[in-house]
């Protein structure tokens, strides 16, 4: 029994370097960015455009959430003796949120240009930056909480 991910997708157009005898494309090739979701008139597929817009809005929500968590961290983390650490965690989370929201439009444009030109979708650089900020601030918050409990 095969699932729907193993079946070829007829809506996607294969890039010239990835031509098959039938002109069909598999789901995993789309996910790896080897397929342009575009019509013959160099206009991105409507579903691809809407997916790019939904991703843009998700990045904006992530930025807003990071700002809110930064404000909450600054208010809720213990401050006994090391108030600068609490402020550093809060400020870096807020800064990460502002940068995420600001760079979301840049990411949307890069993906849109790639789809229109038939190039592969660019890598998720913004995701790596946000993940790094979250991990570092999370580790700093753990250290801060452990130090507060030790006193």
């Amino acid at each position: 029994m095969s699932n729907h991910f193993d079946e070829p997708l007829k809506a996607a157009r294969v890039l010239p370097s990835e031509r098959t005898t039938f002109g069909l494309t598999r789901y995993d090739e789309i996910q790896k960015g080897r397929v342009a979701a575009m019509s013959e008139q160099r206009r991105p597929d409507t579903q691809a455009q809407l997916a790019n817009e939904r991703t843009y809005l998700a990045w904006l929500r992530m930025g807003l959430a990071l700002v809110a968590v930064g404000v909450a961290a600054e208010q809720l983390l213990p401050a006994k003796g090391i108030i600068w650490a609490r402020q550093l965690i809060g400020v870096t989370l807020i800064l990460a949120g502002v940068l995420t929201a600001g760079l979301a439009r840049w990411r949307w444009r890069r993906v849109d240009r790639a789809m229109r030109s038939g190039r592969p979708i660019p890598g998720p650089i913004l995701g790596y930056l946000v993940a790094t900020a979250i991990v570092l601030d999370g580790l700093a918050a753990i250290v801060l909480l452990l130090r507060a409990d030790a006193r």
Side-chain angles (χ1 to χ4, degrees):
M1 174 184 240
S2 68
N3 60 27
H4 68 281
F5 294 117
D6 294 331
E7 297 173 8
L9 296 177
K10 295 179 182 178
R13 184 176 65 84
V14 179
L15 294 174
S17 63
E18 297 291 326
R19 290 269 183 222
T20 63
T21 55
F22 300 108
L24 301 177
T25 306
R26 293 173 47 110
Y27 179 79
D28 59 338
E29 290 175 332
I30 292 172
Q31 293 301 311
K32 292 177 183 172
R34 292 194 303 238
V35 175
M38 185 177 316
S39 69
E40 293 302 319
Q41 295 88 14
R42 285 290 202 216
R43 182 185 163 120
D45 179 39
T46 303
Q47 287 184 342
Q49 283 182 314
L50 292 174
N52 192 26
E53 185 175 331
R54 283 190 305 272
T55 304
Y56 169 64
L57 294 173
W59 281 116
L60 290 179
R61 284 190 303 273
M62 172 63 76
L64 180 61
L66 285 169
V67 169
V69 169
V71 170
E74 211 289 316
Q75 295 296 313
L76 299 175
L77 287 173
K80 295 178 184 172
I82 44 176
I83 193 167
W84 63 268
R86 181 181 79 175
Q87 291 173 337
L88 180 67
I89 292 169
V91 168
T92 55
L93 282 169
I94 292 169
L95 183 60
V98 169
L99 288 174
T100 299
L103 292 175
R105 177 74 176 169
W106 171 75
R107 167 78 180 159
W108 177 83
R109 294 280 298 158
R110 286 185 66 209
V111 171
D112 188 60
R113 286 181 185 152
M115 286 191 305
R116 288 181 188 280
S117 67
R119 293 188 321 262
I121 303 298
I125 298 167
L126 182 56
Y128 297 141
L129 294 173
V130 170
T132 301
I134 292 171
V135 167
L136 292 176
D137 283 328
L139 292 173
I142 289 170
V143 169
L144 185 62
L145 290 171
L146 291 175
R147 283 195 65 178
D149 284 344
R151 291 180 184 217

